[in-house]
């Protein structure tokens, strides 16, 4: 019998930010823990080809896959929950879909036909969905961005309607995530918005098989009965998904408690294997009630006001806490606030300091003052991407006495450009998809903090940057005590810098947060939180 890949389509209604990506990831985890091979993808309705040129304030974090694709932050949830690497086939945008259609039209690929949304755009969307079909994939989960009723989402909804019709009911499933708001003045939950959301889907031919209801508190039987009746969904397939008390990692456990994964497998005519969540539940118990107390970490960044801008950073810090059996409390500080008020008061009492990535010169002086504060006071310091570059600039200025040391990103005429535009970037003009992106090798020197943390001599990490350490200044900085402990063998790019005489001081050019999971914290985050715990004790 020929292998058939099953498909689950996840849509959303009423409002955005309901957690479709998080729920999709949780479902994937449950199906994976029942022995099925799962892949995930997201369809984003915006016209950008990818989020790479979008402001963090507009879109949040840009998540980078191993193959160098700049994607939506939901793919971070996919990888953290399942450990399954995503790829270019895991994120499609309207910009990418339309680019493919227009390119085909220009090449004469439509043989003189009038190119239209139906069938040509919807055919391209269906082709994108099929990219994850393979003999080693049992189930593909496709999340459709936006909400039912959005003009931008209509081609995707029509495409998945057609797709389900083509593959048959046993091979395709519609899950609709919707809001059941609590009206404080009335003191009750209201189902009408969800009814209307499902009504919009039904007008275009999609009838949800399962309804997942986001709510501030659990629904009662009356609400479920009403939704089942008016939305034409089986009563047991109305699932409530109230806000979790402690962590997003509780979501799969709550959904399993309602047998959501069982109903999905039955609807897809798949065998319901036993579910193994022992390891996951043990991790959640450690997260909720750690034995070693709490440690406070300051994150000093450029985009602090939007939490999603550093989503993977915060999650990786949590993972580092789990690995050390402690709770991580994050003190979020705008780098401009350090610039204006100084570091002493804003950073007082923290056990560790992390400076993450970013672009542009706003707030850079605040980051440099943060690095100096951590360096001179022996506070564990972790610099990532721009944070590593700031560590180099601060060291060059204040230890090596290189006046005017800077990055050419901020000062093109710097007399000491210790950070400079990569040679391969010199002739780049387009901004989208042109940075150093994706996974690259790195060799770690013996006897270094990095080598000890990883427990390996050679690693691979994901990148997203245009500027690099300027090797012309390497001897000067090494002579004053900076150790270059990680080097990319492809072009001698400096990947990791350390200060051996400091309790724990490390900066890396890559983004280790993209490879951290709750079950397997990234080695650098695990080591950083461990160092912060020692600092707390001292």
């Amino acid at each position: 019998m020929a292998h058939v890949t099953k498909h689950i389509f996840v849509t959303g209604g009423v409002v955005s930010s309901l957690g479709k990506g998080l729920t999709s990831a949780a479902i994937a985890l449950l199906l994976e823990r029942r022995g099925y091979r799962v892949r995930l993808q997201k369809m984003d309705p915006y016209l950008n080809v990818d989020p790479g040129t979008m402001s963090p304030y507009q879109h949040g974090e840009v998540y980078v896959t191993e193959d160098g694709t700049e994607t939506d932050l939901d793919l971070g949830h996919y990888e953290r929950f399942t450990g399954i690497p995503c790829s270019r086939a895991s994120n499609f945008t309207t910009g990418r879909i339309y680019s493919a259609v227009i390119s085909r039209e220009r090449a004469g690929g439509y043989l003189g036909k009038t190119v239209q949304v139906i069938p040509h755009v919807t055919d391209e969307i269906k082709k994108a969905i099929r990219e994850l079909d393979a003999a080693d994939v049992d189930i593909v989960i496709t999340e459709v961005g936006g909400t039912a009723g959005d003009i931008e989402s209509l081609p995707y909804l029509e495409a998945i309607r057609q797709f389900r019709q083509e593959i048959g009911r046993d091979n395709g499933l519609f899950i609709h995530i919707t809001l059941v708001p609590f009206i404080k003045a009335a003191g009750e939950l209201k189902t009408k918005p969800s009814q209307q959301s499902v009504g919009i889907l039904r007008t275009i031919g999609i009838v949800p098989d399962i309804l997942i209801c986001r709510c501030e508190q659990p629904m009662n039987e009356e609400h479920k009965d009403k939704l089942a009746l008016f939305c034409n969904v089986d009563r047991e397939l109305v699932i409530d998904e109230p806000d979790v008390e402690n962590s997003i990692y509780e979501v799969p456990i709550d959904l399993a408690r309602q047998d959501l994964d069982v109903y999905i497998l039955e609807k897809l005519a798949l065998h319901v294997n036993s579910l193994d969540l022992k390891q996951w539940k043990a991790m959640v118990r450690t997260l909720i009630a750690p034995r070693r107390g709490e440690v406070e970490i300051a994150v000093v960044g450029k985009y602090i006001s939007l939490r999603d801008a550093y989503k993977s950073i915060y999650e990786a810090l949590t993972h580092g806490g789990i690995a050390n059996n402690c709770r991580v409390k994050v003190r979020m500080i705008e780098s401009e606030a350090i610039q204006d008020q100084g570091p002493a008061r804003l950073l007082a009492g923290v056990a560790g300091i992390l400076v993450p990535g970013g672009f542009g010169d706003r707030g850079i002086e605040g980051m440099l003052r943060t690095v100096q504060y951590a360096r001179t006071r022996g506070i564990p310091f972790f610099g990532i991407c721009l944070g590593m570059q700031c560590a180099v600039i601060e060291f060059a200025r204040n230890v090596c006495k290189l006046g005017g040391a800077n990055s050419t990103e901020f000062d093109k005429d710097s007399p000491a450009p210790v950070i400079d535009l990569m040679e391969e970037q010199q002739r780049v003009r387009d901004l989208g998809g042109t940075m150093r992106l994706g996974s690259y090798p790195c060799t770690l020197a013996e006897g270094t903090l990095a080598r000890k943390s990883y427990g390996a001599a050679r690693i691979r990490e994901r990148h997203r940057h245009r500027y690099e350490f300027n090797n012309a200044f390497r001897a000067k900085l090494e002579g004053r005590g900076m150790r270059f402990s990680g080097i990319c063998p492809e072009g001698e790019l400096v990947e990791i810098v350390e200060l051996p005489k400091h309790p724990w001081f490390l900066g890396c050019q890559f983004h280790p947060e993209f490879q951290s999971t709750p079950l397997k914290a990234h080695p650098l985050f695990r080591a950083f939180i461990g160092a912060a715990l020692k600092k707390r004790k001292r």
Side-chain angles (χ1 to χ4, degrees):
M1 185 177 176
H3 173 78
V4 177
T5 300
K6 309 282 185 169
H7 287 266
I8 299 171
F9 300 102
V10 180
T11 58
V14 185
V15 295
S16 58
S17 301
L18 285 178
K20 293 193 301 295
L22 184 59
T23 303
S24 298
I27 291 170
L29 169 69
L30 295 177
L31 296 176
E32 189 183 38
R33 292 305 170 102
R34 285 194 183 271
Y36 288 96
R37 299 164 298 178
V38 186
R39 293 291 183 273
L40 296 106
Q41 65 179 180
K42 183 174 184 184
M43 301 292 172
D44 273 311
Y46 50 74
L47 278 167
N48 304 66
V49 172
D50 58 50
T53 58
M54 296 167 72
S55 164
Y57 293 117
Q58 284 273 318
H59 188 267
E61 168 187 86
V62 174
Y63 189 82
V64 180
T65 59
E66 200 160 293
D67 64 357
T69 307
E70 293 174 295
T71 69
D72 185 83
L73 61 81
D74 277 330
L75 273 71
H77 289 313
Y78 300 168
E79 291 200 349
R80 283 189 288 272
F81 274 69
T82 66
I84 300 168
C86 292
S87 68
R88 182 175 170 79
S90 302
N91 195 196
F92 287 85
T93 67
T94 297
R96 189 170 157 196
I97 294 292
Y98 271 78
S99 292
V101 171
I102 292 168
S103 294
R104 188 173 293 116
E105 185 274 330
R106 292 289 81 189
Y110 293 109
L111 303 176
K113 294 178 182 176
T114 300
V115 180
Q116 298 175 291
V117 173
I118 302 173
H120 303 108
V121 172
T122 52
D123 281 351
E124 192 65 33
I125 294 170
K126 289 187 288 184
K127 180 183 174 185
I129 294 169
R130 289 192 183 95
E131 282 207 24
L132 290 180
D133 278 14
D136 62 347
V137 178
D138 299 313
I139 302 168
V140 173
I141 300 175
T142 301
E143 175 195 349
V144 178
T147 62
D150 289 350
I151 292 173
E152 297 91 342
S153 298
L154 288 175
Y156 294 97
L157 297 177
E158 171 60 20
I160 65 173
R161 183 197 68 77
Q162 293 176 18
F163 197 97
R164 157 75 174 267
Q165 190 172 18
E166 291 167 9
I167 63 176
R169 283 188 169 275
D170 284 350
N171 298 321
L173 184 70
F174 292 129
I175 296 177
H176 190 55
I177 301 175
T178 185
L179 178 68
V180 178
F182 178 76
I183 307 301
K184 192 173 182 180
E188 60 180 336
L189 294 165
K190 291 293 184 181
T191 63
K192 190 64 71 179
S194 295
Q195 295 175 40
Q196 292 177 338
S197 176
V198 171
I200 292 169
L201 285 179
R202 291 168 68 178
T203 62
I204 60 174
I206 294 176
V207 179
D209 298 288
I210 296 174
L211 203 61
I212 297 180
C213 302
R214 290 285 290 110
C215 42
E216 292 182 41
Q217 51 189 267
M219 297 187 297
N220 59 35
E221 299 305 311
E222 177 189 350
H223 296 125
K224 293 186 178 182
D225 289 340
K226 187 180 289 187
L227 284 167
L229 176 64
F230 287 102
C231 297
N232 197 29
V233 177
D234 291 345
R235 169 62 182 73
E236 67 272 16
L237 300 183
V238 178
I239 307 293
D240 66 334
E241 191 179 33
D243 295 343
V244 289
E245 187 176 346
N246 299 290
S247 166
I248 58 173
Y249 300 124
E250 294 176 81
V251 172
I253 299 171
D254 282 355
L255 295 179
R257 196 175 295 125
Q258 299 176 72
D259 288 330
L260 173 62
D261 50 329
V262 174
Y263 295 133
I264 287 172
L265 292 172
E266 289 176 347
K267 281 281 185 182
L268 293 174
L270 291 170
H271 187 265
V272 181
N273 305 320
S274 60
L275 176 64
D276 182 6
L277 281 181
K278 288 180 183 177
Q279 191 181 16
W280 192 267
K281 288 180 177 178
M283 176 272 295
V284 171
R285 284 195 296 270
T286 300
L287 175 61
I288 294 172
R291 293 197 305 271
R292 300 177 70 186
E294 183 176 271
V295 65
E296 187 172 21
I297 303 295
V299 174
V300 181
K302 294 164 62 75
Y303 318 114
I304 291 294
S305 60
L306 182 68
R307 187 176 177 88
D308 277 352
Y310 296 122
K311 184 67 178 174
S312 292
I313 292 284
Y314 299 140
E315 292 303 314
L317 286 170
T318 297
H319 305 159
I322 294 168
N324 284 279
N325 220 303
C326 72
R327 180 178 293 106
V328 175
K329 178 183 178 182
V330 178
R331 187 186 299 183
M332 304 176 194
I333 305 170
E334 288 280 358
S335 58
E336 285 179 294
I338 300 282
Q339 198 164 301
D340 296 338
Q341 303 172 40
R345 183 177 63 84
L346 294 175
L347 295 172
V350 298
I353 296 171
L354 187 150
V355 176
F359 299 91
D361 62 357
R362 180 181 60 81
I364 291 300
E365 292 303 317
M367 288 183 168
L368 295 176
R369 294 183 70 180
T370 298
V371 174
Q372 184 179 25
Y373 184 87
R375 179 179 61 79
T376 57
R377 285 164 176 76
I379 300 170
F381 171 82
F382 193 4
I384 294 175
C385 197
L386 177 61
M388 172 266 201
Q389 295 175 3
C390 286
V392 169
I393 295 168
E394 189 278 330
F395 190 84
R397 287 184 186 180
N398 299 319
V399 179
C400 300
K401 305 303 178 184
L402 293 174
N406 216 330
S407 166
T408 53
E409 181 182 4
F410 315 132
D411 181 4
K412 294 188 183 302
D413 299 318
S414 168
V418 290
I419 303 296
D420 200 4
L421 188 66
M422 302 181 74
E423 187 175 347
E424 65 199 55
Q425 294 286 318
Q426 299 286 347
R427 290 172 295 279
V428 170
R429 294 294 174 262
D430 290 342
L431 296 180
T434 57
M435 285 187 270
R436 178 182 173 88
L437 293 166
S439 180
Y440 288 87
C442 177
T443 301
L444 306 180
E446 288 188 24
T448 61
L449 188 58
R451 181 74 170 263
K452 180 182 178 183
S453 299
Y454 279 97
R458 190 177 173 93
I459 58 170
R460 291 193 70 92
E461 292 284 359
R462 301 182 197 180
H463 295 67
R464 185 176 184 251
H465 64 104
R466 296 186 193 279
Y467 292 80
E468 65 175 330
F469 176 77
N470 186 344
N471 278 316
F473 293 89
R474 184 167 168 180
K476 180 76 172 178
L477 272 65
E478 274 184 323
R480 297 306 302 271
M482 179 167 274
R483 183 82 187 270
F484 298 92
S485 58
I487 304 293
C488 178
E490 301 172 7
E492 289 298 302
L493 171 70
V494 170
E495 297 274 22
I496 306 176
V497 301
E498 299 178 12
L499 295 181
K501 295 182 179 180
H502 190 281
W504 204 96
F505 190 106
L506 184 145
C508 57
Q509 184 60 74
F510 48 80
H511 288 269
E513 68 272 22
F514 292 153
Q515 295 200 90
S516 187
T517 75
L519 294 177
K520 189 178 181 182
H522 188 281
L524 294 182
F525 279 90
R526 183 182 64 233
F528 173 56
I529 297 301
L533 275 171
K534 291 180 181 177
K535 170 67 177 176
R536 185 198 65 179
K537 290 178 182 177
R538 288 197 299 270

